[in-house]
Amino acid sequence: MSVLRIASTSDPGSAAGALANSFREEGRAELQAIGPRAVNQAVKCIAVARGYLASSGVDLYFVPSFVEVDMSGETRTGIRFMVRSRTPVPALRPRRRADTPRQSPEPDAPTAEAWQDI
Amino acid sequence: MSVLRIASTSDPGSAAGALANSFREEGRAELQAIGPRAVNQAVKCIAVARGYLASSGVDLYFVPSFVEVDMSGETRTGIRFMVRSRTPVPALRPRRRADTPRQSPEPDAPTAEAWQDI
């Protein structure tokens, strides 16, 4: 399972799009954030993603835990958010640009390069 | 259901004790936080409370949503954390000082007065 790293500068809407896509692909997702502002963005991201996935019958929740992360040789404590659904996840597929209507409230997911490392 | 308001200065350990007690009384709990640092403390509080309640067979998770809060006539947007258990909650009762062993890892819950308003 891929881990989405949320930075303090991550846009919650874009991150929520990436989270929703990851969830559609794998039926679950995981976020990691280090520092108060990144944790705040991660929580907002999940709140927004709940709205994105609600119409598919997905009822997101998350389980937080502490995680030790190595950053350039220095160990820092961050938060890991395991994201799951309270309802059975229907067979979903990632939303591609081609089948996203122009007026969709869900922004395109950022590319991997757009993600800032923790 | 009582709402625990988490401030940026709230101690996650003490807040986790209050959350665990609230959960034992009502089988569910709700937190509210405004601002990145308060949201961060709320997430840490839930991560710690998971450890407190795990031995009782409670498997905490939470569902975040946005909430509008009136603060002295000014409307601010905060985060509401609905805290639930993935497993059925056994008949629990709040832990009182009298039956808390001295070496208990769970600190006493702060009094209502100790809580700083959001």
Side-chain angles (χ1 to χ4, degrees), chain A residues 35-37 39-40 43-44 46-48 50 60-66 79 81 84 86, chain B residues 35-37 39-40 43-44 46-48 50 60-66 79 81 84 86:
Chain A
R37 293 189 180 278
V39 168
N40 183 49
V43 171
K44 289 198 284 186
I46 298 171
V48 173
R50 274 181 59 77
L60 284 192
Y61 69 84
F62 66 110
V63 177
S65 59
F66 295 101
I79 300 285
F81 301 86
R84 303 288 185 268
R86 289 199 284 188
Chain B
R37 291 188 181 279
V39 167
N40 183 50
V43 171
K44 289 198 283 185
I46 298 171
V48 174
R50 276 182 58 77
L60 285 191
Y61 69 83
F62 68 105
V63 177
S65 58
F66 296 100
I79 300 285
F81 300 85
R84 303 287 185 270
R86 289 201 284 187

Side-chain angles (χ1 to χ4, degrees), chain A residues 9-74:
Chain A
T9 53
S10 295
D11 174 67
S14 302
L19 171 60
N21 263 356
S22 174
F23 205 90
R24 288 189 183 101
E25 279 178 343
E26 308 189 51
R28 57 189 186 152
E30 185 176 321
L31 306 182
Q32 274 186 16
I34 294 179
R37 293 189 180 278
V39 168
N40 183 49
Q41 297 305 79
V43 171
K44 289 198 284 186
C45 159
I46 298 171
V48 173
R50 274 181 59 77
Y52 289 168
L53 290 169
S55 60
S56 304
V58 175
D59 186 6
L60 284 192
Y61 69 84
F62 66 110
V63 177
S65 59
F66 295 101
V67 60
E68 303 277 306
V69 181
D70 183 77
M71 289 179 70
S72 317
E74 193 188 345

Side-chain angles (χ1 to χ4, degrees), chain B residues 2-13:
Chain B
S2 57
V3 176
L4 301 178
R5 293 186 172 86
I6 307 292
S8 59
T9 53
S10 295
D11 174 68

